[in-house]
Structures are given as structure tokens and as C-alpha cells.
Amino acid sequence: MTLDLSSPMAAPSRGLSDAACRRIEAVLLPVLAILSGFAAFALFLAVQGHSPAEFASLVWRGGFGTAFSIANTLQRAAPLLLTALCVALPAQLGLVVIGGEGALVLGGLAAAAVGAALTGLSSAVGLGAMALAGALVGGFWIGLAGWLRHARGVNETIASLLLSYIAIALFNHIVEGPLRDPASLNKPSTAPLPAEFRIGTLPGIDVHWGFAVGVLACLVSAFVIRRTTFGFAARIAGGNARAAAVQGLPVGRLVVAFAVAGGAAAGIAGMIDVAAVQGSANASLIAGTGYTGILVAFLARQNPLAILPMAILVGGIAAAGGLVQRRMGLPDATMLVLQGCLFLSILLSETLAGRLVPKALRAEASAR
């Protein structure tokens, strides 16, 4: 008996499987998007007569070049880890939620109000109550957008964006009205938190504990999505909601649950900002951190583990902003232009999804 080497069964395994192609694209697409965004921004600088090489050198020095700059970068990355999860978690269900800013400011306001009301209690009880308040308020706010999508068919992108504007208006009204500290004259704010309710820094580095909370949240989110039946059901529903419903999966409850989880992450980001940085709820909370989290989540392609390096990258760019302004004489909005270039490039890179690996390799893989 002879073996027919021309048979497909006997042919050597060549080519890449669909899963391998997806893994390759998951790495290459964000890298290409980042390089393309920086290239576009370099052209923007060159047209104005500024040196892209000098800009890159200053960004490296201001964001990653010294121990102080690294600490500053990690400090800025801390809330981005959580606001990016506000986008990435609902995205597992195919939702595009962009209202993290509203959940952050209301979560911070709730935490500040609870902290001021619990003066005299232990640090553990006070911080725990503040974190719970921030998570509940933020989760409710984004969960409302998820419920509107499930129950009424309202587009979650529009709903979450409009809810964010409402949240900011509500925040300003309460901070400047019912909860305003009479001692805050030029900058309206709530009553300052007691010293025992302030969050300290990590041992050996000048970075508050919020960074560790953000890292832990990303790790837990990745585990839930990849290693639990709950996360598996969400990914199935995100791939084809109708087929998931036919199979008996509770698509509606999953949509609301993941929206609530994302909002809770943003609400905790607001609580951390109040307890670790601001000391009270004031207008400084409305710093665009929720919107920057959208960029981080898209750069990470909604992968909680990839959010870690992307948040640090974007945090480093923000940390270098002051140095770039002083040395190159560029306006503060220059960093926003860079973020815009990155966001546009990551959106354009999605058109390459499924096309980045040559068709010949895919054809060989499918022929095995």
C-alpha cells in the first residue's frame, strides 16, 4: 500500500489558522495605528516649522525619562485604566458607550458627599463607603444607557453621550448649590474630605493606590471575560445577539450588567480622583478623563489586558505636555491634536481588520 502524498490529508501543515490571524491582527493593528497617528502628527508639526524629533525626545523625557516623570505618567494613567474599562466592558456585547465622563464626575460627587457625611469613622469604613457610592452611582448612570438600548432600542452611543452632558450639568448644579462648601469662594467645591479618607501612595513610589486599583480591575475584567461562563456568554451575545437569544442566553440582562460594570469602573475612577488628588468634588473633576478613556479602549481594541500599556502610553503623553509647551512654545491644545491623530488612525485601522494577513496564507490554512 502506498501513501498518496498529493492527498490533502497527507499535505504538510502550512498557513495560519483564523485564530492565529486574529491574534496577529490584535497586535499589529494597534501598533500600525499608533505609528500612523504619530506620523500624521509629525507632518502637522513639520508644516508649522517645529521639529518632530525634538517633540519625540521631549515626550520621552517628560513621560518616561526620569523616576519623577514615570511616577507622573503612572499617576495620570490610573484613572484612564478605569474609564477605558467603561468602554471596553460594554464593548464585549457590541455596545459603543462613550459616557464615562458623566459616570466619573457623578461617582466622584457621590464619594465626596458620603465621605463628608461619615466624618469620624475609621479609614477603612469611610473609603469603602465612598468606593461603593461611586461604583453604585456610576454603574446606575451607564446602566441606564444599557437599559435604554435593551428595553427601548435607543442607541447606546447617543444615550451615553447625552447622559454625560446631563451628568456634568447636574454635577455643576449640586457643587455650586446644595453641597457647596461656604469656604470655597473662587472655586466652588464640596466640603473637604477628612485626612483619614485620603488615599496615600504606593510603597517606594510617588503614585497613589488608584493605579493599583486600576491594574487589578483590568486583570479581573480579563479573567471574567476569558475564563468564566458569564464572560463567554457575553462574547457570544456580542458576536450575534439574535443567535444567542435563540440559544436561551439572557442577552438583555448581559447588556445591562456589562454596562453597569463599566459605569462602576468609571465611578470608582471619580472616587479615586476625589480621595487621592482633589480632596473634594470640584470642577477639576471635569478634565476629559472619561473621553480620553475612549481613546485608550480603542487603542487596546477593547482588550482589558492591552488597556494597561495603552493607558501608560497616553498617560506619558499627557505628562509630557508641560515640558513640550515650555521648550517648544506650543499651545496646550497640541496634545489634544496628537490624541485626535491617534484616535483617527485607530478608527481607520479597523478597516484593515480581516485583511492584514495575506489571503494566500489564509487560503492555505483553510485548505488543510
Side-chain angles (χ1 to χ4, degrees):
M1 179 178 179
T2 60
L3 180 63
D4 183 8
L5 295 178
S6 65
S7 169
M9 294 287 294
S13 296
R14 293 178 297 174
L16 298 170
S17 66
D18 288 340
C21 291
R22 287 194 295 270
R23 285 194 292 269
I24 291 172
E25 288 183 345
V27 175
L28 289 184
L29 281 177
V31 172
L32 291 175
I34 291 171
L35 293 177
S36 299
F38 275 111
F41 184 73
L43 180 61
F44 169 78
L45 289 177
V47 168
Q48 299 182 82
H50 297 288
S51 170
E54 182 185 3
F55 177 85
S57 174
L58 291 174
V59 167
W60 172 259
R61 192 185 312 169
F64 309 96
T66 65
F68 173 80
S69 61
I70 291 174
N72 192 14
T73 292
L74 297 181
Q75 193 105 316
R76 292 173 181 268
L80 296 178
L81 295 170
L82 294 166
T83 56
L85 284 177
C86 185
V87 181
L89 290 177
Q92 308 305 315
L93 276 296
L95 306 180
V96 182
V97 171
I98 59 174
E101 185 80 357
L104 182 148
V105 299
L106 288 185
L109 176 61
V114 168
L118 297 181
T119 301
L121 296 182
S122 67
S123 175
V125 172
L127 288 174
M130 290 170 61
L132 180 61
L136 288 176
V137 172
F140 169 78
W141 205 251
I142 301 299
L144 183 58
W147 179 82
L148 287 171
R149 165 64 185 269
H150 164 61
R152 294 292 181 263
V154 178
N155 183 280
E156 74 283 351
T157 306
I158 297 174
S160 61
L161 179 62
L162 294 180
L163 283 170
S164 186
Y165 283 110
I166 295 172
I168 292 172
L170 187 62
F171 173 88
N172 287 328
H173 169 74
I174 294 175
V175 169
E176 296 177 11
L179 294 185
R180 179 172 181 172
D181 178 17
S184 59
L185 301 177
N186 297 326
K187 187 176 184 179
S189 65
T190 60
L193 291 176
E196 59 269 22
F197 293 169
R198 298 298 300 272
I199 295 177
T201 58
L202 292 165
I205 185 172
D206 191 21
V207 179
H208 60 67
W209 278 93
F211 181 76
V213 172
V215 171
L216 180 61
C218 289
L219 295 176
V220 171
S221 298
F223 177 82
V224 170
I225 292 169
R226 294 296 174 184
R227 301 295 181 183
T228 67
T229 55
F230 184 65
F232 179 74
R235 287 186 285 124
I236 294 298
N240 190 324
R242 183 172 298 179
V246 170
Q247 294 298 318
L249 293 178
V251 177
R253 289 201 294 271
L254 288 169
V255 166
V256 176
F258 271 73
V260 168
I268 291 175
M271 173 268 172
I272 291 172
D273 200 4
V274 166
V277 181
Q278 308 297 339
S280 64
N282 54 61
S284 296
L285 274 177
I286 312 171
T289 307
Y291 299 123
T292 307
I294 302 170
L295 170 63
V296 173
F298 273 79
L299 284 172
R301 303 197 77 208
Q302 322 300 347
N303 183 339
L305 292 181
I307 284 175
L308 294 171
M310 294 306 170
I312 292 173
L313 172 64
V314 175
I317 292 172
L323 181 62
V324 170
Q325 278 184 270
R326 294 192 301 271
R327 296 293 180 86
M328 298 185 68
L330 292 171
D332 184 49
T334 301
M335 290 304 179
L336 296 179
V337 175
L338 175 56
Q339 290 186 16
C341 290
L342 291 172
F343 192 67
L344 181 60
S345 64
I346 196 67
L347 291 178
L348 293 175
S349 72
E350 291 299 318
T351 62
L352 298 176
R355 305 177 185 179
L356 199 59
V357 178
K359 290 184 178 180
L361 295 179
R362 293 177 180 271
E364 287 185 30
S366 62
R368 289 202 301 266

